[in-house]
Amino acid sequence: IALRPDVSSVANMERVIMASHSTNYGDVIVMGGNYGSPSDPEAKQVRQMCKDLFAAGLQAISFVMPPVKLVPNVGGEPYPLPQWLIDAGYKATGNVAITGNSGTGKSSLNNALRGLKPRDNGAAAVGVKETTLDPHGYDFEPAGKDMKVWDLPGAGTPKFPLESYMRTMGIKYFDEVIIASASRFTETDLELMDELRMHGIPFIALRTKVDLEIRNAQKDSGSNEQETLNRIREDIKKNSLLPDERVFMVSARRPEEFDFQRFRQYIVDSLHRGVDVKLAKALNRKLDVQEIWNTVC
């Protein structure tokens, strides 16, 4: 196999032919070779040499492999892949997005998922106001190499209105979307869920800061922990229309309790599943082979 050789001269072609004698069958495969101009006398001599020496003469083969279509054509043409996802090596990575309104605790959740505290190196910035102003991807080592969790700005703000949020954030390109809320899901959250559902994008509903909700319920109504958790879970299922396995209640401050470990494992599995799907699509691409026999004369 010769990659991009210059075989426009008889001398160069003779070297390629000599190399072919070391193979079992004496075949030569030239990929991207330069045969010279069709009108050049020496180039014509090279092509005639190939006809004389090789049983099949000179066979031109064209391989056509269309690009991988990573997103199904559901609800119109796929949104363009954002540049920041391209720069992050999207096609070779698993990607999960966390979105939610200001004060939800997305950044704290992100840190807890990765086992980091707010002041650790690589931790997402946390604060009482919206600290996620642009999409930011973080390596998620629990899932392995090339796996990322993305901290996205919340939808429904003047900067990121819901009408253009999915396109701006490239939502269709994520393997899973986490819609997080520190209280009851807002109208914006529910509308985003409807959009995701309509486009066939997998998502989960996540209630953050449940430790505070439990404490407030004990003070206000005397409800115990399990009663409060049951009430929250039923409310989430009713509004999100999701089954139990896609409903999670967590506290970033208490990652060993509630649904946090189940949630972490779900994210790991989603990332692996996303990479497997991309790999399968790449391996199943249609390869068209066009053959032209002895036409380069």
Side-chain angles (χ1 to χ4, degrees):
I1 299 177
L3 297 176
R4 297 188 179 90
D6 182 357
V7 287
S8 59
S9 70
V10 171
N12 288 349
M13 192 66 207
E14 285 178 342
R15 283 195 288 271
V16 173
I17 293 171
M18 288 295 295
S20 74
H21 292 165
S22 62
T23 67
N24 291 334
Y25 300 102
D27 292 334
V28 176
I29 299 175
V30 174
M31 302 185 70
N34 173 23
Y35 290 95
S37 170
S39 60
D40 182 72
E42 187 169 16
K44 287 184 178 181
Q45 189 177 352
V46 167
R47 287 188 279 274
Q48 186 59 50
M49 181 188 301
C50 291
K51 282 189 168 186
D52 294 340
L53 293 176
F54 297 102
L58 183 63
Q59 180 185 6
I61 303 178
S62 175
F63 294 96
V64 180
M65 182 177 286
V68 181
K69 191 174 184 180
L70 295 171
V71 179
N73 186 14
V74 179
E77 286 300 311
Y79 303 141
L81 183 63
Q83 187 61 46
W84 41 271
L85 270 177
I86 296 174
D87 295 341
Y90 169 78
K91 289 187 178 181
T93 61
N95 298 274
V96 166
I98 304 176
T99 183
N101 294 324
S102 175
T104 296
K106 300 189 300 293
S107 297
S108 295
L109 177 67
N110 188 321
N111 291 335
L113 272 172
R114 296 182 294 129
L116 298 177
K117 296 180 179 179
R119 295 184 180 180
D120 290 343
N121 290 334
V126 298
V128 294
K129 63 179 183 178
E130 180 62 74
T131 53
T132 305
L133 302 178
D134 295 293
H136 195 102
Y138 298 87
D139 292 332
F140 188 51
E141 294 183 1
K145 185 180 179 182
D146 298 326
M147 303 294 185
K148 290 185 178 294
V149 173
W150 290 84
D151 199 352
L152 302 185
T157 65
K159 185 177 180 181
F160 300 105
L162 182 62
E163 292 76 19
S164 58
Y165 186 79
M166 290 186 65
R167 175 179 292 272
T168 303
M169 293 296 131
I171 292 294
K172 282 188 177 183
Y173 292 92
F174 285 97
D175 303 307
E176 190 91 33
V177 177
I178 303 165
I179 302 181
S181 177
S183 57
R184 298 192 69 179
F185 286 103
T186 65
E187 196 66 31
T188 298
D189 294 327
L190 298 178
E191 288 181 17
L192 181 57
M193 289 181 188
D194 288 340
E195 285 286 313
L196 295 171
R197 189 178 289 110
M198 181 176 67
H199 290 93
I201 303 166
F203 68 93
I204 62 174
L206 180 76
R207 177 69 67 87
T208 63
K209 304 180 181 180
V210 290
D211 54 332
L212 299 181
E213 184 106 13
I214 290 169
R215 186 177 65 186
N216 291 337
Q218 288 174 337
K219 289 182 178 180
D220 295 343
S221 62
S223 300
N224 61 39
E225 178 177 306
Q226 194 56 53
E227 289 173 339
T228 301
L229 292 175
N230 289 342
R231 174 179 55 80
I232 295 172
R233 188 177 299 277
E234 290 305 313
D235 181 70
I236 296 174
K237 289 168 57 180
K238 177 181 177 181
N239 287 285
S240 69
L241 305 178
L242 291 174
D244 278 324
E245 59 269 22
R246 290 168 63 190
V247 171
F248 299 87
M249 299 176 293
V250 302
S251 168
R253 293 184 176 182
R254 295 161 64 176
E256 300 302 324
E257 301 180 46
F258 312 116
D259 293 331
F260 198 94
Q261 294 304 313
R262 183 171 69 91
F263 169 60
R264 186 200 296 268
Q265 187 58 50
Y266 184 94
I267 299 305
V268 170
D269 294 342
S270 294
L271 287 166
H272 289 167
R273 185 165 55 247
V275 170
D276 289 344
V277 168
K278 291 173 189 172
L279 179 60
K281 287 182 177 180
L283 293 176
N284 289 320
R285 278 188 293 180
K286 182 181 179 182
L287 176 63
D288 292 329
V289 180
Q290 301 173 352
E291 297 183 336
I292 309 173
W293 289 81
N294 292 324
T295 58
V296 186
C297 301

